[in-house]
Amino acid sequence: AILARQLVLNISFITAAGRAQSMDPTGVMAAAYGIVMQIYSMGIVVHLAIQGTAAALVPSAKATSGTSKARNVADRIFIWGSIIGILLGVTQLLLLPVLVPLFSTLPEVQEAVKAPALISSLLHVINGPVFAGEGTMLGLGSFKALATITTISVSIMVALLKSPMAQTLNGVLLSIAAFSLFQSLAVVVYHVRIGPLRRRGKFEFFGKGKVLQQE
């Protein structure tokens, strides 16, 4: 399942790169896409650290202290992952005027990078819970569920890449954003309602209010 997940991930981003490279004969869009992804990858290193932390700490907490403790650890990692995602997005946004000239001195390439780089800054915000959730699922051995989520996310992304929306570099980045958004929502729903750390409970209504009783 893990190998299948990695395969579909590779296919999706190869498709995105190919779409960018075929946009114009001058190579400006391809160069701009490469620069955007290099800048974006700097933040991915931090997200991967969050993923690794979740993969190590959550199963350890479950083994030593039970499901409730593991759930609390995972919840905190989700929160910190989201905070770090916001910080990464803001940091990249602020540093773009400094970073972009380091990768290219051509004015047309620098101009082509601007809007896609803004979108990639937003990707860090979306990716905050993604990597926390993926790490939690990997640590708990939910490989098939993670592969299924990734396959659906990639299908959405590839469908958008094949649509008229992806005729611009902004469209390519928005396709990647759609992939990340579905992935983010899916791992959160899995964590809260489906996975081994899901909250089992029922709502009881008292007058106008309601209380959630955890089982």
Side-chain angles (χ1 to χ4, degrees):
I2 293 299
L3 291 176
R5 173 177 179 267
Q6 193 59 52
L7 176 62
V8 295
L9 281 173
N10 290 343
I11 290 172
S12 67
F13 284 95
I14 288 172
T15 303
R19 195 75 171 91
Q21 290 170 0
S22 64
M23 281 181 187
D24 70 294
T26 65
V28 170
M29 292 297 107
Y33 177 80
I35 291 171
V36 169
M37 297 311 291
Q38 287 181 66
I39 294 173
Y40 172 65
S41 296
M42 295 178 186
I44 290 296
V45 174
V46 181
H47 285 301
L48 288 172
I50 296 293
Q51 185 186 76
T53 300
L57 294 184
V58 174
S60 176
K62 186 179 181 184
T64 58
S65 304
T67 299
S68 180
K69 177 65 175 178
R71 184 188 301 121
N72 291 337
V73 170
D75 288 347
R76 287 197 294 270
I77 295 174
F78 266 94
I79 291 170
W80 277 108
S82 299
I83 293 171
I84 290 172
I86 293 170
L87 293 175
L88 285 172
V90 172
T91 300
Q92 177 176 308
L93 187 63
L94 294 175
L95 290 178
L96 284 177
V98 177
L99 293 174
V100 173
L102 296 178
F103 289 94
S104 177
T105 57
L106 297 176
E108 58 270 27
V109 174
Q110 292 182 8
E111 186 64 29
V113 165
K114 286 182 180 179
L118 292 177
I119 298 172
S120 72
S121 298
L122 176 62
L123 285 177
H124 286 304
V125 179
I126 299 173
N127 282 337
V130 171
F131 285 86
E134 288 181 350
T136 299
M137 293 176 74
L138 289 170
L140 295 174
S142 303
F143 304 129
K144 289 184 180 179
L146 181 56
T148 300
I149 289 171
T150 303
T151 300
I152 297 172
S153 302
V154 167
S155 298
I156 293 170
M157 175 179 165
V158 172
L160 291 174
L161 286 171
K162 298 297 183 180
S163 73
M165 185 185 81
Q167 291 178 354
T168 66
L169 197 54
N170 290 345
V172 172
L173 268 293
L174 288 173
S175 300
I176 297 174
F179 160 84
S180 295
L181 182 59
F182 181 87
Q183 195 89 346
S184 180
L185 293 173
V187 296
V188 170
V189 170
Y190 184 86
H191 171 63
V192 174
R193 301 307 304 171
I194 301 172
L197 303 182
R198 65 188 177 275
R199 286 151 175 78
R200 299 175 177 87
K202 60 182 179 180
F203 287 101
E204 291 188 356
F205 292 85
F206 298 96
K208 295 182 179 179
K210 61 184 180 181
V211 177
L212 176 62
Q213 292 185 337
Q214 294 289 346
E215 297 177 348

